[in-house]
Amino acid sequence: MASPKLRCSRFATTSRTHPHPSGVTIDDPFVTETNNTQKLKLSQKWKRLSSIGNHLSPWPTYTSGQTILHNRKLCSDDCRKQAGSWQLQSLDTTKPRYLEQLESYLRKELLLLDLGTDSAQELRLQPYREIFEFFIEDFKTYKPLLSSIKNAYEVMLAHQKERIRALEPLKAKLVTVNDYCNKRILAMRAEEKTEISMLKKEKMNLLKLIDKKNEEKISLQSEVSKLRKNLAEEYLRYLSERDARKVLIADLNELRYQREDMSLAQSPGIWGEDPVKLTVALKMTRQDLARTQMELNTMKANFGDVVPRRDFEMQEKTNKDLQEQLDSLRDDYKEVCKEHEILLQLHMSTLKERDQFSSELQEIQHTSTPRPDWTKCKDVVAGGPDRWQLLAKGKNSDQLVDVLLEEIGEGLLREKDFFSGLGYEESIPPFLRFDGIVENKKPTKKDVINLLRDAWKERLTEEQKETFSDFFFNFLERRFGPADAIAWAYTIFENIKLFRSNEIMGQFYALLMGKRSESVYIKQKETVTELLKEMTNVDSENEGLLTMEQLRTVLKSTFPFKKEEKIQELMEAGGWHPNSSNADLLNYHSLFIEDEEGQSMPFVQKLWEQYMDEKDKYLEELKQQLGLELHDKVTLPKVREALMIIDSKLDKQTLNSYLSQVFQLPVTKLPEEGEEKEEDIVILLQTALERLQMADIRPMGPREQEPAS
């Protein structure tokens, strides 16, 4: 074995001065000459080692001094005998001298390293590189394999260093974001404290108002009781006055009678009358007196409790005024009670909301991050504040995150020159099956949208015998030729996967990945075309204008099953607002135009949203009608029956198309209703709902209300 100490020390001096990974060429004459000298010495040492013996010690093995002979087959009889002799010998072995020299060199080099610097780990790796190069130089047979292994590791280490260097700014950014989030949390806490203090003040004011109303109520009650007492006293006074009046009238009558008797007795002419005549007159007078007395008693009995009309009218008027005041006070009291109950409910709901907000705030403080300040993005996104304002208009935080990811992804996609092929597995879409490197054509977003529009127009004009993915690849072959078709397929796929928030790109991605049926979009385009045609027919003067009332009429005739609130949503998306009148004019052509990025107007987007909501509601009604869990199995008759119940207007052809989509059977092979083999066709409910979600399903009529029991 050659002396490795000299070689190690000599290698150490050069490696410390010029550290470099394997595979890197350094144009230094001194280093080149040194390397040639080392190679010459290594070859001389190898020859010297070969002259000592043609084998190396295989330590650790079962015996000492055993060797592995060169230029001999591994499976020869000598090897088998020698291996058997190794197993029979003792386990006491000593390390080979070459191994001891390498270990000694490694320890010495590690001791010489300065581990206090930032690059300590990289310096620590250098002695191991040198040891491995000694092995490569000594084992000529395995030198290519060992060199390739070393180069692979060196390339990976360099790659990891680049990644670490690229992630350093991100680490600083994370620290900055963390500080910003902490500040936002503190600001939110301060805002919550202010809001809670305001609510407490409002609560105290409401409590004071309630106390004031209660005091008013008590004062009104006391006033009512006082008025009742006065009314009773007045009533007793009028009763006593009535009795006194009756006594006075009787006394007056008695005095009048006495006066008449005295006048008759004192009159001298009466004594000259006939006594018989006087007797008869007296008798008649007494009868009249008795009759009058009887009538008087009858009048007393019948009208003894009657008061004079004037007093009655006065008392009635007073009573009416008091009753009106009482009714007014009662109404005010009821109103105050209602307001009191409302305030109590409001107070309780405020307390619940406060507790809920407090718990949500605590949860947000522990688990969530504060709401981002999206205005910071305007200085980062290409195009400046104007473009960011256009991108962020009418979008929530989730949509803004998608927009920001698209902007970031667009930059990364433009930096990529090639794509890696996904292979030929069956799970890979047919138009992406390729193994190798694919060129990135780097089209603009507008170019991709125009290309997709052309493909969609061509798809609508053909017979649609092939699948959409096959058509798309054939379209690219016709457009760019077979040589560039796969490159354009990968380029367009990466673009539509990135810009899925774009309407036309999102549609193409769903179609190519099989997430939605092609008939869904075709039916949507037909609906939009039919709606535009109806509006054009109503526009008799062909001015491109409709009144709001005409727009409502067209929507109701085109969508007879939509509820009034859905029609109202479409009207608002078309430009109607509460201050609008039915005579206001609307340019209906502007409802159906698309911008340069393929985005539809809010009116068409609202049509699509309502269609998806109706489909989700339809599938939810189907699930409730079946009464099963998602992991349960459902048979074909049950699905057929449930569909007919939730949509009684469903015709047989449409029903069979739905069943064909659910059970993945041709319409001609579906069993008729009542056949025995219907029960043998089963599927998971979750799978059935997912397949219906992909297809174009919509209610054929309003659902009939079940009769009340």
Side-chain angles (χ1 to χ4, degrees):
M1 181 66 64
S3 61
K5 290 184 178 180
L6 180 61
R7 182 171 59 227
C8 292
S9 61
R10 193 166 54 246
F11 192 89
T13 56
T14 59
S15 62
R16 292 294 180 270
T17 309
H18 304 280
H20 58 278
S22 178
V24 180
T25 304
I26 300 177
D27 298 331
D28 192 340
F30 179 73
V31 175
T32 306
E33 183 179 357
T34 305
N35 291 336
N36 294 332
T37 306
Q38 287 182 0
K39 290 181 180 179
L40 180 61
K41 291 183 178 180
L42 284 173
S43 61
Q44 292 175 359
K45 290 178 181 179
W46 180 257
K47 291 179 182 179
R48 195 182 309 119
L49 181 62
S50 300
S51 63
I52 295 173
N54 292 330
H55 59 273
L56 293 174
S57 176
W59 185 92
T61 60
Y62 296 103
T63 60
S64 61
Q66 300 298 329
T67 59
I68 299 175
L69 300 178
H70 293 276
N71 302 324
R72 184 174 294 180
K73 296 182 179 179
L74 294 177
C75 297
S76 62
D77 294 337
D78 295 338
C79 291
R80 293 192 186 96
K81 292 177 181 179
Q82 193 170 4
S85 64
W86 291 348
Q87 295 177 359
L88 294 176
Q89 293 178 3
S90 64
L91 299 176
D92 297 334
T93 61
T94 60
K95 292 184 180 180
R97 183 181 177 187
Y98 184 59
L99 179 58
E100 291 179 350
Q101 291 175 351
L102 291 177
E103 290 179 347
S104 174
Y105 171 75
L106 180 61
R107 284 193 296 270
K108 184 177 68 174
E109 290 296 319
L110 291 176
L111 289 174
L112 292 176
L113 290 177
D114 184 10
L115 300 179
T117 60
D118 295 338
S119 59
Q121 294 298 330
E122 185 175 356
L123 293 175
R124 185 183 178 87
L125 188 62
Q126 188 62 33
Y128 292 98
R129 283 198 184 100
E130 297 171 0
I131 296 296
F132 196 61
E133 288 179 356
F134 294 160
F135 269 92
I136 294 173
E137 293 297 330
D138 288 337
F139 292 95
K140 300 295 185 179
T141 305
Y142 303 100
K143 183 175 181 180
L145 175 60
L146 295 175
S147 298
S148 63
I149 292 173
K150 180 176 179 295
N151 291 335
Y153 275 97
E154 292 291 343
V155 171
M156 180 53 68
L157 285 173
H159 176 64
Q160 294 298 331
K161 288 179 182 178
E162 290 295 328
R163 291 191 63 183
I164 291 171
R165 190 179 299 111
L167 290 175
E168 283 297 329
L170 182 60
K171 179 180 179 182
K173 186 176 181 180
L174 285 175
V175 174
T176 306
V177 170
N178 186 21
D179 294 339
Y180 173 73
C181 292
N182 291 332
K183 292 180 181 178
R184 289 287 296 169
I185 290 172
L186 294 176
M188 289 180 66
R189 287 180 179 174
E191 291 177 0
E192 290 294 332
K193 288 181 179 179
T194 306
E195 186 175 357
I196 290 171
S197 63
M198 291 177 64
L199 290 175
K200 286 182 178 179
K201 291 180 180 178
E202 186 177 358
K203 173 188 171 184
M204 295 303 296
N205 293 331
L206 293 175
L207 290 175
K208 290 180 181 178
L209 180 61
I210 291 171
D211 294 338
K212 185 178 179 181
K213 293 294 182 181
N214 288 332
E215 292 176 358
E216 292 179 359
K217 172 186 171 184
I218 293 171
S219 64
L220 291 174
Q221 286 179 347
S222 62
E223 187 176 354
V224 169
S225 61
K226 185 177 179 181
L227 290 174
R228 285 179 178 175
K229 185 178 179 181
N230 294 335
L231 181 61
E233 293 176 353
E234 192 73 17
Y235 181 70
L236 292 175
R237 188 173 65 81
Y238 280 121
L239 284 178
S240 61
E241 185 178 352
R242 182 199 65 180
D243 296 338
R245 187 182 293 271
K246 288 180 180 179
V247 173
L248 182 60
I249 291 173
D251 293 340
L252 289 174
N253 290 332
E254 185 66 26
L255 291 173
R256 188 184 63 179
Y257 293 151
Q258 290 179 3
R259 182 180 178 186
E260 289 179 356
D261 291 341
M262 291 176 64
S263 63
L264 288 175
Q266 294 177 0
S267 177
I270 295 177
W271 299 107
E273 292 289 336
D274 188 4
V276 177
K277 184 178 179 181
L278 292 175
T279 303
V280 173
L282 179 60
K283 184 179 179 180
M284 293 299 295
T285 302
R286 287 178 178 173
Q287 289 178 357
D288 293 338
L289 178 61
R291 187 172 61 252
T292 305
Q293 189 69 33
M294 187 180 297
E295 290 179 359
L296 179 60
N297 294 333
T298 303
M299 293 294 290
K300 287 181 179 180
N302 292 334
F303 302 100
D305 297 332
V306 177
V307 296
R309 179 175 293 277
R310 184 186 62 183
D311 297 338
F312 173 75
E313 289 178 354
M314 290 178 62
Q315 292 296 328
E316 186 179 20
K317 183 179 179 182
T318 305
N319 186 29
K320 187 176 180 181
D321 294 339
L322 293 175
Q323 189 66 33
E324 289 178 355
Q325 292 180 8
L326 181 61
D327 293 338
S328 176
L329 292 174
R330 284 178 179 173
D331 294 338
D332 293 342
Y333 175 70
K334 291 180 181 179
E335 221 175 283
V336 170
C337 290
K338 290 181 181 178
E339 291 179 358
H340 177 64
E341 292 177 357
I342 293 172
L343 290 174
L344 287 178
Q345 294 176 0
L346 182 61
H347 178 64
M348 294 302 295
S349 64
T350 304
L351 290 178
K352 290 181 181 179
E353 289 180 1
R354 184 199 66 183
D355 297 338
Q356 182 180 358
F357 289 154
S358 178
S359 60
E360 288 179 358
L361 177 61
Q362 292 177 359
E363 184 179 356
I364 288 173
Q365 290 174 351
H366 286 88
T367 61
S368 303
T369 57
R371 187 174 180 86
D373 185 8
W374 296 108
T375 56
K376 294 181 178 180
C377 300
K378 64 182 181 181
D379 298 328
V380 181
V381 174
D386 295 337
R387 185 168 180 270
W388 173 251
Q389 186 177 3
L390 182 64
L391 293 174
K393 184 178 181 181
K395 293 182 175 61
N396 54 30
S397 296
D398 188 30
Q399 293 171 339
L400 288 175
V401 171
D402 294 337
V403 171
L404 196 58
L405 290 176
E406 288 179 1
E407 291 294 322
I408 296 173
E410 183 178 8
L412 296 176
L413 188 61
R414 288 193 173 279
E415 293 177 359
K416 187 181 293 186
D417 295 327
F418 298 96
F419 302 112
S420 298
L422 301 178
Y424 294 95
E425 299 179 1
E426 292 187 0
S427 60
I428 305 301
F431 64 96
L432 296 178
R433 291 176 184 173
F434 184 77
D435 191 6
I437 302 300
V438 182
E439 181 186 0
N440 181 9
K441 295 298 184 178
K442 298 183 180 181
T444 62
K445 186 177 180 181
K446 186 176 180 180
D447 295 337
V448 175
I449 292 173
N450 292 333
L451 183 63
L452 296 180
R453 282 175 174 169
D454 295 341
W456 189 248
K457 290 179 183 178
E458 185 173 332
R459 180 63 172 177
L460 293 177
T461 56
E462 68 172 11
E463 297 181 0
Q464 302 180 6
K465 294 182 178 179
E466 56 186 353
T467 62
F468 192 83
S469 58
D470 293 338
F471 156 77
F472 183 64
F473 190 76
N474 294 334
F475 169 78
L476 294 177
E477 285 185 337
R478 291 192 297 271
R479 176 66 69 91
F480 302 106
D484 291 337
I486 192 67
W488 277 101
Y490 269 83
T491 302
I492 293 175
F493 178 75
E494 291 294 332
N495 277 272
I496 63 177
K497 183 173 70 173
L498 176 63
F499 298 106
R500 273 180 285 180
S501 62
N502 183 274
E503 185 175 339
I504 188 170
M505 291 188 177
Q507 292 177 2
F508 255 79
Y509 182 78
L511 291 175
L512 292 175
M513 299 305 293
K515 294 183 178 180
R516 192 165 284 117
S517 174
E518 187 177 351
S519 60
V520 174
Y521 298 109
I522 294 177
K523 182 64 177 177
Q524 180 69 11
K525 288 186 176 294
E526 291 176 354
T527 303
V528 172
T529 304
E530 180 184 358
L531 187 58
L532 179 59
K533 184 178 179 181
E534 290 293 329
M535 292 182 181
T536 306
N537 293 336
V538 173
D539 183 15
S540 58
E541 297 181 0
N542 199 19
E543 295 180 350
L545 299 175
L546 289 179
T547 63
M548 289 298 175
E549 187 63 30
Q550 289 175 334
L551 177 61
R552 185 186 298 275
T553 304
V554 171
L555 291 175
K556 287 184 176 180
S557 63
T558 308
F559 308 108
F561 304 132
K562 285 188 180 294
K563 296 182 179 179
E564 183 62 29
E565 55 266 23
K566 298 296 182 182
I567 299 294
Q568 191 68 24
E569 289 178 0
L570 292 175
M571 294 280 292
E572 292 177 359
W576 182 90
H577 52 85
N579 296 328
S580 301
S581 64
N582 293 331
D584 289 345
L585 297 178
L586 171 70
N587 182 7
Y588 60 87
H589 288 291
S590 63
L591 303 177
F592 303 96
I593 61 176
E594 295 181 354
D595 59 12
E596 59 181 7
E597 293 188 355
Q599 294 292 111
S600 301
M601 291 295 105
F603 180 79
V604 179
Q605 293 178 4
K606 180 58 70 175
L607 274 177
W608 175 256
E609 291 176 5
Q610 290 187 359
Y611 166 70
M612 296 302 296
D613 293 341
E614 291 171 359
K615 181 189 286 188
D616 294 339
K617 185 178 179 181
Y618 191 81
L619 295 179
E620 184 62 27
E621 290 181 357
L622 177 62
K623 180 176 177 295
Q624 293 178 359
Q625 185 64 37
L626 291 171
L628 299 174
E629 298 296 332
L630 293 176
H631 58 271
D632 295 336
K633 292 186 178 180
V634 61
T635 60
L636 189 146
K638 288 186 178 180
V639 177
R640 188 198 304 271
E641 181 183 1
L643 286 172
M644 291 302 298
I645 290 175
I646 66 174
D647 194 358
S648 58
K649 303 294 184 181
L650 199 62
D651 57 275
K652 185 176 181 181
Q653 182 180 359
T654 307
L655 176 62
N656 289 335
S657 66
Y658 289 176
L659 295 176
S660 173
Q661 179 70 25
V662 172
F663 295 96
Q664 297 293 301
L665 292 174
V667 178
T668 56
K669 293 185 179 181
L670 285 174
E672 294 294 333
E673 187 175 359
E675 293 186 10
E676 295 181 357
K677 60 181 180 179
E678 272 190 319
E679 298 293 337
D680 298 333
I681 303 176
V682 295
I683 192 175
L684 286 176
L685 178 59
Q686 183 176 3
T687 306
L689 295 178
E690 288 176 354
R691 289 176 178 176
L692 285 175
Q693 183 69 34
M694 294 169 53
D696 177 33
I697 61 171
R698 59 187 73 217
M700 296 292 105
R703 183 175 181 180
E704 296 181 358
Q705 298 293 331
E706 297 181 357
S709 59

